[in-house]
Amino acid sequence: RSIENLRPWPWVTMMEGDGLALSGGPFDAILLNAGVTHVQPHWLETIAPGGRMLVPLTAVAASPLGPAMPNIGKGLLMLIVRTDDPVVFDARPVTFVAIYSGQGLRDGAINAKLGESMKKMPFAPVKRFRLDPHEPAPTCWMHDATGCWSL
């Protein structure tokens, strides 16, 4: 249905597949429609210069509703924009989100760290997503081995 609905816009390409195996590009826009704990490096490589990616950055907690909703993550829909720097991207939160978790796109240790970051600063004024190695600093909202969401 998506392909049919997008037919009036011939410059739009609809692709369906496994987000872990995203290939091709460069893409002007990428929309992830499942919650993740961290951005996959190859996703960033496929963004065209000036291109954008929307990613639901979510933490999953033990559900008070029991097993009925165990895979719903809550967090921030983050916008990432490719800059001229290959290791520093512009980034900002767009809105809050609650969404199903992506299969194979969650890390338990990062989930816990992300949950703590969100508790301390729920709508963080993030400005950058950084891949450059650096020590955690006060400007790091969420810092781990996969990247750093910086204020």
Side-chain angles (χ1 to χ4, degrees):
R1 286 180 48 198
S2 296
I3 291 171
E4 185 59 34
N5 290 339
L6 293 169
R7 197 167 310 283
W9 297 278
W11 57 88
V12 175
T13 302
M14 178 71 187
M15 297 174 60
E16 178 184 350
D18 182 347
L20 280 173
L22 179 66
S23 62
F27 300 111
D28 295 322
I30 300 172
L31 167 64
L32 273 69
N33 198 25
V36 301
T37 53
H38 58 288
V39 175
Q40 300 292 318
H42 63 278
W43 294 344
L44 298 169
E45 294 166 5
T46 64
I47 302 172
R52 300 161 313 278
M53 178 169 63
L54 281 171
V55 57
L57 190 65
T58 61
V60 175
S63 175
L65 301 175
M69 299 181 81
N71 295 319
I72 299 291
K74 296 175 192 147
L76 297 170
L77 183 63
M78 302 297 282
L79 174 65
I80 298 174
V81 180
R82 182 171 206 91
T83 65
D84 292 334
D85 188 329
V87 296
V88 178
F89 296 76
D90 288 339
R92 69 177 175 84
V94 176
T95 190
F96 291 105
V97 67
I99 192 168
Y100 281 99
S101 296
Q103 292 183 344
L105 297 171
R106 304 202 65 79
D107 177 282
I110 298 173
N111 183 76
K113 203 169 188 180
L114 183 57
E116 288 302 314
S117 293
M118 288 185 191
K119 283 180 191 175
K120 289 179 190 169
M121 194 181 303
F123 201 73
V126 169
K127 302 278 189 248
R128 304 272 184 269
F129 180 71
R130 300 172 52 184
L131 297 172
D132 58 318
H134 63 278
E135 291 296 316
T139 57
C140 300
W141 173 68
M142 169 56 196
H143 183 101
D144 64 57
T146 64
C148 176
W149 298 93
S150 297
L151 306 175

